[in-house]
Amino acid sequence: MKIGENSVVSIDYTLKGDDGTVIDTSEGRDPLSFIYGIGAIIPGLEKELDGKTAGDSFAVTIAPEDGYGQYDEARMVEVPKEQIEGADGMTEGVQVQAQREDGGIEILTVASIGEKSVTLDGNHPLAGMNLHFNVDVKDVREATKEELEHGHVH
Ligand code: ZN
């Protein structure tokens, strides 16, 4: 069947940056499985998968606006250490979770650590990057009712 709304899609993929460095790959792991059309993967990849079937392979370059967004300086925030739990044990480059005012969870990267404050970067680590994907479509099937209700693959 063709990939469309409410398909469960399984892909093998390799993601490289502009310099050819492998950023992420499913090689050596199980294929990535997700429900198509609910925003489980980046928009550029969803667009490219539309109508494909098992056995299809393709390479695609996805610009930041269809990937993880443009890098936004405004998403760097300096937070006093006393407002951060475990601030003394932090190191640069690690990811931390923060609770947003609406109760959601945000992942932030520790950009730098000063004497009294920590600078956190709310940009996705892949923000602002061109994403070069090689994709093999391994399997396409109809999502079950339960999967659609839960919003994830069983
Ligand atoms: Zn479930």
Side-chain angles (χ1 to χ4, degrees):
M1 63 178 272
K2 283 187 178 173
I3 296 172
E5 292 297 313
N6 303 336
S7 308
V8 170
V9 181
S10 298
I11 58 169
D12 273 333
Y13 69 95
T14 297
L15 167 60
K16 292 178 181 171
D18 277 334
D19 63 359
T21 310
V22 174
I23 296 167
D24 189 17
T25 179
S26 63
E27 212 179 290
R29 299 199 304 248
D30 285 337
L32 174 71
S33 295
F34 53 91
I35 300 175
Y36 182 85
I38 62 166
I41 58 167
I42 54 171
L45 208 47
E46 282 216 324
K47 211 186 306 174
E48 206 62 32
L49 283 164
D50 188 23
K52 297 274 196 302
T53 60
D56 284 347
S57 295
F58 61 91
V60 62
T61 296
I62 295 169
E65 56 268 29
D66 288 325
Y68 293 99
Q70 295 290 353
Y71 191 86
D72 182 3
E73 285 287 340
R75 302 196 71 184
M76 295 274 271
V77 286
E78 199 178 333
V79 184
K81 277 187 178 171
E82 66 248 27
Q83 289 182 18
I84 304 175
E85 212 177 307
D88 288 330
M90 277 181 173
T91 50
E92 286 174 21
V94 300
Q95 292 188 330
V96 295
Q97 288 191 349
Q99 187 144 27
R100 287 198 307 256
E101 278 171 18
D102 66 8
I105 295 290
E106 197 167 354
I107 307 288
L108 302 152
T109 306
V110 177
S112 62
I113 300 171
E115 207 172 305
K116 292 207 167 101
S117 67
V118 174
T119 303
L120 299 172
D121 187 349
N123 288 285
H124 188 280
L126 300 180
M129 289 180 65
N130 293 314
L131 308 170
H132 304 271
F133 278 97
N134 279 289
V135 177
D136 296 319
V137 181
K138 308 303 280 186
D139 190 52
V140 183
R141 64 170 171 83
E142 205 79 58
T144 65
K145 197 165 160 272
E146 202 186 11
E147 284 173 324
L148 291 174
E149 276 169 15
H150 290 199
H152 57 236
V153 174
H154 287 163

